[in-house]
């Protein structure tokens, strides 16, 4: 994970990053990695009744917001080195189940209602790397190893060519604070090696915990300001084990704090991995799914604009996220002939078809 040590001995064999073009390609992959987590997290979140399952909604909703920050940080990193973030594209939205982009095939993503199967998927997705695990720029086994490869490649290129030859991007393309300023994460501009390493550290520690051996991610818990925030992996552990982590707890001890309650009656039985052709054209469910997909892709388009020279679009995209929430609530209130609740398909809709 990112640290203050400079390692210039690393060859490109483990990272796949030997040139500036390699670095830009891997940072675009980082954008795709961060985006790929959003549909599974949103599906589980939409399956929960927020009144009956306030704990789970708070925990998963917080992870989703921080993943949005990670997506923006990845875009800042790519912009900083002269790249052009791509987000509004069909290849970012293949049908589910799918594998995480460029990862080991064991990391599979599916659209599932909240439950033990979804939690097992989330725990695999956010699994911490072990100290000493190698950097892996492709077919990585953990996200931490992937970002470690980016860090090593970035340090190596800066050592060989100088920071001023690597960080050539227009600072005006950076996004910061804005609609995410009230969250536990930090969305900061990236303009040099120090700020780039800070962005990588933010992404990794919020996912797997500080130093790969800690439950905490280093931020203050937004909902419990008297304590530090729990990293994503260990938040999912809290949900799986039914108890919160408290000061003094470790990965080995497990959580020993307050109970985390889950009411099974407050979980909508969504159809797993729904597809548009599950329902006939013109049916109410399919029309609602298509409307959701149009709005979701509109949000991707707004984010892409925000990351490509129009940072003000970031705030507009947050408004679109709220519209998505309303559409999802209407959609999941519908039941099909098998008494399963409808859910979004997250299919790509071309800009000209979004209305």
């Amino acid at each position: 994970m990112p640290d203050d040590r400079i390692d210039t001995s690393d060859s490109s064999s483990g990272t796949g990053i030997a040139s500036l073009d390699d670095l830009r390609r891997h940072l675009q992959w980082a954008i795709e990695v961060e985006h790929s987590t959003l549909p599974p997290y949103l599906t589980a979140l939409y399956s929960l009744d927020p009144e009956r399952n306030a704990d789970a909604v708070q925990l998963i909703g917080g992870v989703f917001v921080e993943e949005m920050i990670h997506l923006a940080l990845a875009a800042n990193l790519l912009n900083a080195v002269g790249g052009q973030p791509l987000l509004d594209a069909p290849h970012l939205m293949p049908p589910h189940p799918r594998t995480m982009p460029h990862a080991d095939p064991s990391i599979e993503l599916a659209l599932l209602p909240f439950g033990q199967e979804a939690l097992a998927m989330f725990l695999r997705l956010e699994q911490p790397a072990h100290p000493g695990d190698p950097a892996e720029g492709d077919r990585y086994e953990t996200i931490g190893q992937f970002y470690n490869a980016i860090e090593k490649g970035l340090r190596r290129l800066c050592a060989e060519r100088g920071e001023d030859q690597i960080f050539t991007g227009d600072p005006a393309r950076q996004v910061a604070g804005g609609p995410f300023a009230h969250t536990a994460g930090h969305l900061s501009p990236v303009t040099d090696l120090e700020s780039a390493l800070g962005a990588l550290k933010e992404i990794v520690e919020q996912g797997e915990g500080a130093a790969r051996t800690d439950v905490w991610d280093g931020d203050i818990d937004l909902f419990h300001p008297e304590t530090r925030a729990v990293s994503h992996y260990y938040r999912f552990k809290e949900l799986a084990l039914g108890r919160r982590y408290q000061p003094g707890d470790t990965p080995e001890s497990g959580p020993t704090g307050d109970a985390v309650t889950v009411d099974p009656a407050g979980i909508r039985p969504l159809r797993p991995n729904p597809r548009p052709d599950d329902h006939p054209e013109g049916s109410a469910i399919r029309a609602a799914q298509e409307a959701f997909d149009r709005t979701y892709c509109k949000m991707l388009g707004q984010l892409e604009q925000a990351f490509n020279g129009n940072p003000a679009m970031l705030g507009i995209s947050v408004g679109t996220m709220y519209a998505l929430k309303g559409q999802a609530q209407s959609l999941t209130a519908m039941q099909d002939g098998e008494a399963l609740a409808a859910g979004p398909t997250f299919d790509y809709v071309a800009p000209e078809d979004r209305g």
Side-chain angles (χ1 to χ4, degrees):
M1 68 185 280
D3 57 29
D4 294 325
R5 295 168 295 177
I6 297 179
D7 177 6
T8 59
S9 63
D10 173 63
S11 73
S12 64
S13 59
T15 67
I17 301 174
S19 68
L20 189 53
D21 282 343
D22 290 337
L23 177 63
R24 289 170 178 158
R25 181 168 61 254
H26 278 74
L27 289 171
Q28 172 61 35
W29 290 359
I31 290 171
E32 296 172 18
V33 166
E34 298 303 337
H35 170 262
S36 73
T37 68
L38 302 184
Y41 288 154
L42 282 177
T43 299
L45 186 63
Y46 292 151
S47 74
L48 291 164
D49 181 323
E51 293 185 5
R52 293 185 174 187
N53 281 303
D55 287 348
V57 167
Q58 179 193 106
L59 287 164
I60 298 176
V63 169
F64 168 76
V65 171
E66 288 170 8
E67 293 295 347
M68 290 295 298
I69 293 173
H70 298 175
L71 177 65
L73 285 171
N76 277 354
L77 284 158
L78 180 53
N79 270 322
V81 299
Q84 292 185 302
L86 178 66
L87 193 59
D88 187 358
H91 76 273
L92 270 76
M93 298 181 67
H96 291 81
R98 57 166 295 192
T99 55
M100 179 164 275
H102 309 287
D104 185 282
S106 66
I107 310 180
E108 186 173 274
L109 304 175
L111 304 180
L112 302 172
F114 179 83
Q116 290 303 316
E117 187 179 356
L119 286 173
M121 172 178 61
F122 298 158
L123 287 165
R124 175 64 188 93
L125 171 62
E126 301 282 3
Q127 179 182 314
H130 296 101
D133 279 353
E136 294 178 330
D138 200 0
R139 295 182 64 83
Y140 51 91
E141 295 177 77
T142 65
I143 294 176
Q145 289 169 275
F146 172 68
Y147 280 111
N148 194 18
I150 290 176
E151 183 211 350
K152 285 181 177 291
L154 181 59
R155 286 185 184 273
R156 184 168 179 265
L157 288 170
C158 286
E160 289 176 352
R161 300 175 54 175
E163 283 187 54
D164 60 338
Q165 296 300 305
I166 303 302
F167 291 95
T168 59
D170 180 358
R173 292 168 67 93
Q174 296 290 311
V175 295
F180 300 117
H182 64 288
T183 67
H186 302 286
L187 176 52
S188 302
V190 175
T191 55
D192 55 16
L193 181 59
E194 181 181 6
S195 54
L197 295 177
L200 291 169
K201 182 176 182 180
E202 177 81 4
I203 293 169
V204 173
E205 289 194 354
Q206 278 193 334
E208 63 179 38
R212 292 184 175 162
T213 58
D214 202 348
V215 168
W216 319 98
D217 71 10
D219 293 321
I220 296 298
D221 188 323
L222 188 65
F223 299 101
H224 304 88
E226 71 281 359
T227 187
R228 290 177 294 165
V230 176
S231 70
H232 297 179
Y233 177 80
Y234 293 103
R235 283 184 227 177
F236 292 131
K237 278 285 191 182
E238 290 180 326
L239 286 166
L241 298 174
R243 195 163 293 281
R244 288 189 184 275
Y245 286 92
Q246 62 180 348
D249 288 345
T250 67
E252 291 72 31
S253 74
T256 64
D258 295 339
V260 175
T261 58
V262 173
D263 180 358
I267 303 172
R268 302 176 185 91
L270 300 189
R271 176 180 290 278
N273 299 312
R275 301 297 307 136
D277 56 10
D278 289 340
H279 307 284
E281 282 192 50
S283 65
I285 289 178
R286 184 157 174 177
Q289 288 172 327
E290 290 170 346
F292 179 96
D293 288 340
R294 287 194 295 272
T295 305
Y296 185 84
C297 291
K298 178 181 177 182
M299 180 193 75
L300 293 185
Q302 291 167 342
L303 287 170
E304 184 171 294
Q305 291 177 58
F307 301 149
N308 282 276
N310 190 1
M313 289 299 290
L314 188 63
I316 294 172
S317 74
V318 173
T320 306
M321 290 177 210
Y322 282 106
L324 270 180
K325 181 179 179 181
Q327 288 180 316
Q329 289 171 334
S330 298
L331 182 57
T332 56
M334 300 179 181
Q335 284 194 338
D336 62 20
E338 299 176 37
L340 293 172
T345 62
F346 292 97
D347 266 38
Y348 185 74
V349 180
E352 61 270 21
D353 297 325
R354 292 173 195 168

